[in-house]
Amino acid sequence: MGLRTPVFFCRMLHGRGVCRLAPPRTIAGAISALGDVVSQLLLENRDTIDTTRLLTCAALGAAVDGVLLQRWYAFLHRVPARHPTITLLQRLVLHHSGFVPLLAPFFITVASTAHALTAGTHSTGDLQTMCRVRQEWWPSVTFSWLVVAPMQLVTAW
């Protein structure tokens, strides 16, 4: 394992080499699907995998992470760089105060609507979706602020 191997993996993890392995949408969809499999089997202790939910998570991952987040991160990288630390903090504040609070209701709505349509309860899906957004928006945003933002800060240094 020479010097080139760690450099390759570093580039792969930071986005410059990922496109050589697979398109970003594919990678994002696969990561979301893998997260759902882990959630269903380990956290929820299910015996079988709900394939409809798995495909929904993969599609959402490909659409949201693979398209929206890629464009958002491209926008954030155009933020004028002053000092590296200030730029990093500025990008984190923009992301977690603007994008995350707006993305959470969208993601919850799409996931809830997809679940209602596949479960055959789409007639009451609108009310359930709004209730779910009201219940899950604040915990999702605070989780992002309290867990994701600090982890991004730690991994950036």
Side-chain angles (χ1 to χ4, degrees):
M1 188 162 132
L3 181 63
R4 297 192 70 188
T5 304
V7 170
F8 169 75
F9 284 114
C10 182
R11 285 183 183 163
M12 183 180 76
L13 292 174
H14 288 92
R16 289 183 281 168
V18 172
C19 291
R20 284 185 240 146
L21 297 175
R25 289 181 196 168
T26 305
I27 301 239
I31 290 171
S32 295
L34 180 63
D36 187 53
V37 167
V38 168
S39 176
Q40 288 188 44
L41 295 179
L42 298 179
L43 300 177
E44 299 171 17
N45 293 323
R46 292 183 179 207
D47 294 330
T48 60
I49 294 175
D50 181 358
T51 55
T52 306
R53 178 178 143 180
L54 177 67
L55 293 174
T56 302
C57 285
L60 284 172
V64 175
D65 292 340
V67 177
L68 291 176
L69 282 178
Q70 293 294 324
R71 295 190 192 283
W72 173 249
Y73 289 144
F75 166 76
L76 285 180
H77 282 286
R78 289 192 301 268
V79 170
R82 297 177 186 137
H83 185 273
T85 305
I86 292 172
T87 303
L88 173 69
L89 292 174
Q90 187 178 14
R91 289 174 181 169
L92 277 173
V93 167
L94 278 172
H95 180 70
H96 290 283
S97 66
F99 190 75
V100 169
L102 294 174
L103 180 68
F106 169 75
F107 191 83
I108 294 166
T109 300
V110 171
S112 183
T113 302
H115 176 71
L117 290 174
T118 57
T121 59
H122 58 277
S123 60
T124 60
D126 293 339
L127 182 59
Q128 290 174 347
T129 299
M130 292 307 297
C131 289
R132 190 169 179 193
V133 168
R134 284 190 200 117
Q135 290 173 349
E136 294 184 17
W137 179 79
W138 183 246
S140 299
V141 172
T142 54
F143 177 81
S144 177
W145 292 341
L146 297 175
V147 177
V148 177
M151 291 306 295
Q152 287 178 332
L153 196 59
V154 167
T155 59
W157 271 305

